[in-house]
Structures are given as structure tokens and as C-alpha cells.
Amino acid sequence: MQGGSTGIGYGLKYQARCIADVKADTDHTSFIAGTLSLKEENEVHLIRLSSGGTELVCEGLFSHPNEIWDLSSCPFDQRIFSTVFSSGESYGAAIWQIPELYGQLNSPQLERIGSLDAHKSKIKCTLWWPSGRHDKLISIDEQSLYLWSLDSSKKTAQVQSQESAGLLHYLSGGAWDPHDVNSVASTCDSLVQFWDLRTMKKTNSIEQAHIRNVDYDTKRKYILVTAEDESGIHIWDLRMLKFPILELPGHSHWTWAVRCNPEYDGIILVLSLSLSLSLSLSLSHAQTHMYQSCIFGFMAEHSAGTDSAVNLWLASLPTSDDFSSESLVESPTRRIDPLLNSFNDYEDSVYGDCLAWSSREPWIFASLSYDGRVRAAFFCCMEKNWVQDPEF
């Protein structure tokens, strides 16, 4: 379906740029979003998909003292999350806890259980330990990476270690490797830096211009996806970083973010701004590839300053046997351009950390446009069945 409309919506009161899946909520499909208002008191919205899957409902609305630029949910406690916020030209980061009886209170207040206050430059994001119950988290500012230890009972967060990215590099974000908890990737304008948290030293890098965002494939080791201003999406094998193994072309303007699916191997969401929209799909090509070698993508495009679209992509990823083949050495980067679906009823642009897969129901994803509108979208029946059965 091209140019289609699908999904259900929810409206925040103010403008917003960040949304996250509540991974620790195993009973509900939940998301948490924060607003970005200059003049009004900002808000954090706890949003859940109804049991029938027909609407998004607000389960909690909480005041937040400052503009929220980044938000991340704790992977082991659904009531805990972190924010990066600004007040004027100053930036801060904190860890918050939703009150236990929030559903029974008229005006529940968030409880600050930790302040990440060691930063000396503009904070960009926070990263939680990838899975399970662990007290470690990372914060990244423009100059340095910090490893913290959180004690929620004592309401303290202590710096365990810290390292600078170097005078010539300005960090913009990062991702924690779910397959190697000692490894973190950070993004700069001109490269991706890989860090060993045991030594807080850089171990490797990808030199690629204007990288905005990275994410690890949660099901396949050694696979990293990068979003870049001019060249779109690249997929890398961490064992051989000289060239990307795959390129998703067709992005005529910058790409903002990538999100790998938490359950299905190789499925990603791609957020991009563009002045043009190109559609292409080869069903016979898609049907001849097993599920493990495929990627779905999602691209939000901005057309002529008024319309946005969400596109569903399908691309084949080389198998492990291909990584060592002579053909990969001779032609290291493969270019593919298939498109499955397009959704075009956004009324404002989609920026930054505005994509989130549902960990509980990984065929559902949420997007957030700048006007505060949350959209939860589903794979349509045919697409969802094809994921479950590659021969569909």
C-alpha cells in the first residue's frame, strides 16, 4: 500500500522530540515521551496501547522541570527512566522514578533518584545497561563519556570512570553493544569510536563523514547500522570496518536515526528527512530470501516543508559465508533500494530520538512528530505473516 495511512495516535500538549519503549513493562505495550516547551512546564507522558490494540491511552502524566531532549527507560524497572534536559543554555541529566501509586494520585510528582552532574559540556544522551538488572549506565556529552553506578535506594549516582573523546572530536550520541556489554559505540561528526569500558580506551573506529546515529543489530553479533547526513544508511561488520557491507540509498537529505528491532533479526527503522520520495519493490526478490537475511526499514520524509511520509523497506543482508568471500573483497559495499510501504499523513517533521520499537510486541513501533503527535503503527497482515513465514 503506497501513500497509505495506518496506526493509531495520541497527542501530547506541547512540542516533543523524544520517545522510548518501556522495556521493563512485560504486561503492556508501553511508551514514554517527553515535551520540549520553552515557556510552559514540561511533561512526561506514560502511554499504553489498550488491551484491544485500538487506542493509545495516557496511564500517567508527570511534570518535568525543563525541556526534555533525550529520554531513556530503565530496562529492569518500568517506573525508572532518565532524561537529558536544558534550561536556557545549560544542560543536565537525571534519573527519575514514577511514584508507585501514580494511578491513584491527582497530581503525582516524579522523584529524582540520581543526578548525573559531573558533566562540563553539553550532554547528548544516556544509555542503560543493555539488558537485565544492573546498576550501570552511561552518559555522553560533547567531549567525554561517563560510566555511572546507580544506587536507587540511596538516591545517588557515582561516576565509575570517565574518558575524553579528544580535542578534535565532538560526541553526539552512541549505542551500547547488546552482545558485548564492555563495548560502546559513540558518534562524532566524522567517525564512530568504539570504547572498551574496562579500560575506557578507544579500540577502533569507523571514519565516515557526518554520522548522526548508530544502533546495534540486537539478534546478530558484529552488525552495526549507521545513519549519515548525505549517504543514507550503512550496515557494517565490526570484524572488518574498512568498508560497509550494505548501503541503503535513496536518501536525498540527512538521515536522523536508526533503530534495530528487538526481536526479529535484521529488521530496522530508519528516520530521514528528504525532498523526494522514491518507491521500488521486487516481490520475487523478497520471496527468495530467507527471513534471517532481510531488513525492514522505516523512513520519515519531509516533502516541501508540509508533508511527511513513513516508508517500509526490505533489503537483503549478506550471510556469514558472504563476509569472507572474494566477491565481498572485490565489491565491498552492496547497494539495494526496495520499498514495501509508505505512510504519508504526518503533519509535522519527525526528528531526533522519535522512533521506538515495542519490546513486548516487536511488530509495533511508535513515532513522534515535533507537534507532539505519537503514532503507533503495525505491520499489516501480509507483512507480519511474511516476517513469521518467509515463504508467505
Side-chain angles (χ1 to χ4, degrees), residues 20-23 25 28-32 46-49 78 358:
D21 169 50
V22 183
K23 184 177 181 180
D25 187 354
H28 310 89
T29 298
S30 303
F31 301 95
I32 191 167
L46 177 61
I47 308 162
R48 284 178 180 166
L49 184 66
Q78 61 181 299
S358 166

Side-chain angles (χ1 to χ4, degrees), residues 16-208:
R17 291 182 66 134
C18 54
I19 189 169
D21 169 50
V22 183
K23 184 177 181 180
D25 187 354
T26 57
D27 297 323
H28 310 89
T29 298
S30 303
F31 301 95
I32 191 167
T35 64
L36 192 70
S37 174
L38 281 171
K39 299 180 180 180
E40 306 296 336
E41 186 174 44
N42 282 280
E43 300 172 341
V44 172
H45 292 242
L46 177 61
I47 308 162
R48 284 178 180 166
L49 184 66
S50 64
S51 57
T54 57
E55 61 179 335
L56 290 172
V57 295
C58 180
E59 288 293 322
L61 179 61
F62 315 99
S63 297
H64 189 280
N66 306 103
E67 304 167 62
I68 304 172
W69 289 90
D70 177 79
L71 185 152
S72 184
S73 181
C74 174
F76 60 83
D77 189 327
Q78 61 181 299
R79 293 170 49 223
I80 295 177
F81 64 95
S82 58
T83 61
V84 173
F85 50 84
S86 68
S87 177
E89 296 183 356
S90 63
Y91 278 74
I95 303 165
W96 308 86
Q97 182 169 271
I98 296 172
E100 188 172 3
L101 300 178
Y102 67 88
Q104 303 174 27
L105 301 175
N106 292 327
S107 300
Q109 296 296 313
L110 295 172
E111 181 180 8
R112 188 188 295 237
I113 59 173
S115 294
L116 310 183
D117 52 8
H119 291 271
K120 296 180 175 61
S121 61
K122 183 177 178 180
I123 307 173
K124 308 301 290 188
C125 71
T126 57
L127 307 173
W128 288 89
W129 187 273
S131 63
R133 181 173 292 273
H134 207 285
D135 64 352
K136 298 294 190 296
L137 71 156
I138 286 171
S139 59
I140 298 175
D141 65 26
E142 289 184 329
Q143 298 177 352
S144 302
L145 181 147
Y146 292 78
L147 178 64
W148 299 80
S149 178
L150 171 68
D151 189 333
S152 57
S153 62
K154 295 181 179 180
K155 301 180 183 180
T156 60
Q158 300 292 331
V159 175
Q160 299 296 296
S161 53
Q162 175 265 337
E163 187 57 52
S164 171
L167 295 177
L168 300 179
H169 302 302
Y170 290 91
L171 300 178
S172 58
W176 205 324
D177 191 340
H179 307 287
D180 181 0
V181 294
N182 294 311
S183 180
V184 167
S186 64
T187 55
C188 304
D189 284 340
S190 58
L191 76 162
V192 177
Q193 295 176 332
F194 297 95
W195 300 77
D196 186 333
L197 296 180
R198 293 166 296 189
T199 62
M200 293 301 285
K201 300 300 181 184
K202 288 170 278 190
T203 59
N204 211 335
S205 65
I206 298 174
E207 296 187 7
Q208 193 83 358

